[in-house]
Amino acid sequence: MSVAFEVQGIGITDLAAEFGTPMYLYDGEEIRGRFANLRAELHDRLEVFYSLKANPNVSICSLLHTCGARAEVSSLTELVTARRAGVAPRDIIFLGPGKSRSEIEACVDEGIYAIVCESLGELELIDEVARERGVTAPVALRVNPSFSVKGSGLTMGGKPRQFGMDEEQLLKEHGLAARFPGVRLMGVQVYLGTRILGEETVAENTRRILELAERVGSTLEFGLEMVDIGGGLGIAYFDNEKDLDVAELARLVNPLIQEFAARHPETRMIMELGRFLTAASGTYVTRVRYTKTSMGEKFAVTDGGTNHHMAAVGIGSYVKRNFPIVALERLDEPADGPWNVTGPLCTPNDVVGKKAPLPDLRPGELVGVLRSGAYGPTASPVHFLSHGYPAEVLVDGGRAHLIRERDDVEVMLGRQRLFTHDAASTPA
Ligand SMILES: *Cc1c(COP(=O)(O)O)cnc(C)c1O
């Protein structure tokens, strides 16, 4: 008997038979446990907002909401998702460099906690929308700081960016609050990068962001109702990486929060997290269709590939590094050699695992990419070759629930219009 992957006691063979492949499978207990552990360690005053961008499924958002997470959204659909998941407007912030008028209108009409503003042009538009409605919109300023701190997978601060407003420019905008009567400046947000795996890096970011927030608030003369220190906490994907030590992180960050909180007893302090909350819970499950060799290398062609899991191609690196990839029904069997695990796309880049150590794969068996609960299908070219979105399944309370149906041909074609040349040449 081989050892098979299971989620809360339900075997992968049964899950794949019930829901089909390819699919994304999420373990609700993993998400709950991770959130609870983080909550237990972090300073009480630091509120955790879930960045829906990482996994926008409404049931994932709802699960995190029941755990106590608030919501950070970046599109109209994400805003509606958070509301349907039960998140109250006072616990939602909206962020993003290119908000539309209708998105800003929705923020104002819903009465969300803060619109995180990323440019002076946007501030003007928020002001206009609010005054049309005879209200004052709560606005936090996203700042692109002059400094950057090394240690994240993708660094955001200290360089030319489309995000936020440069610290240097902003600090010259004396009287900014008075120029926009429809706006109440009430907070500062800074996001310094993603995939951070160093506890010291997070602490250093936090220290500098809190300093910056005080500088911005006092120079522009508005009270800090909120400070959002970003987040960007990572999880280990690759061989040489190590997960963050949450207790150590808390040991370094909590005193900074405590000190700031003592000086600003009314200020809400926010950390935004996407990947850290959902990534470890998810497995991308595919089935091997064919195996073959080419010029001495072994290939397993599966029913899903980078159309659903673009991140597996390799993140921020020229050398391909594999996500953890396993033969889901034979976890205990030793690798028999390097396998290239590829998908159904007609491009040589459709490689989910390159020379991955796996047992001798056979057609029909299941292969899984672990730690795939964040930036999966939502950040992948799911329409490529018209395969569409995969199914998503959440196991919670010991039972499996379909939380997204896979796209089918009618879904894929339903939004297209058939224009025929015959119709064009026939006079109306
Ligand atoms: C993407 C993003 C997040 C979430 O990032 P993670 O690394 O997934 O936690 C949070 N805040 C902002 C501003 C972002 O752009």
Side-chain angles (χ1 to χ4, degrees), residues 51 53-54 72 95 142 156 189 191 194-195 232-233 272-276 375:
S51 301
K53 184 177 76 182
E72 179 254 297
L95 173 161
R142 180 168 183 182
M156 307 279 256
Q189 190 270 6
Y191 179 75
T194 184
R195 297 216 315 110
L233 308 192
E272 311 158 356
L273 297 176
R275 188 189 315 272
F276 184 82
Y375 304 103

Side-chain angles (χ1 to χ4, degrees), residues 208-262:
R208 301 187 72 160
I209 291 167
L210 292 175
E211 257 172 39
L212 173 64
E214 285 186 336
R215 206 154 59 235
V216 171
S218 63
T219 307
L220 301 187
E221 297 175 338
F222 65 88
L224 290 174
E225 292 170 43
M226 66 159 266
V227 176
D228 180 342
I229 60 169
L233 308 192
I235 76 157
Y237 290 121
F238 308 120
D239 278 346
N240 54 348
E241 293 181 339
K242 203 164 123 297
D243 274 329
L244 277 164
D245 179 339
V246 175
E248 173 65 5
L249 179 80
R251 193 182 66 76
L252 297 173
V253 171
N254 286 354
L256 305 169
I257 302 297
Q258 174 59 40
E259 193 191 315
F260 189 92

Side-chain angles (χ1 to χ4, degrees), residues 284-307:
Y284 179 46
V285 182
T286 64
R287 197 181 287 282
V288 178
R289 286 211 171 115
Y290 308 101
T291 57
K292 57 168 117 176
T293 61
S294 171
M295 302 198 174
E297 292 190 18
K298 295 197 256 197
F299 286 79
V301 184
T302 67
D303 56 7
T306 55
N307 52 319

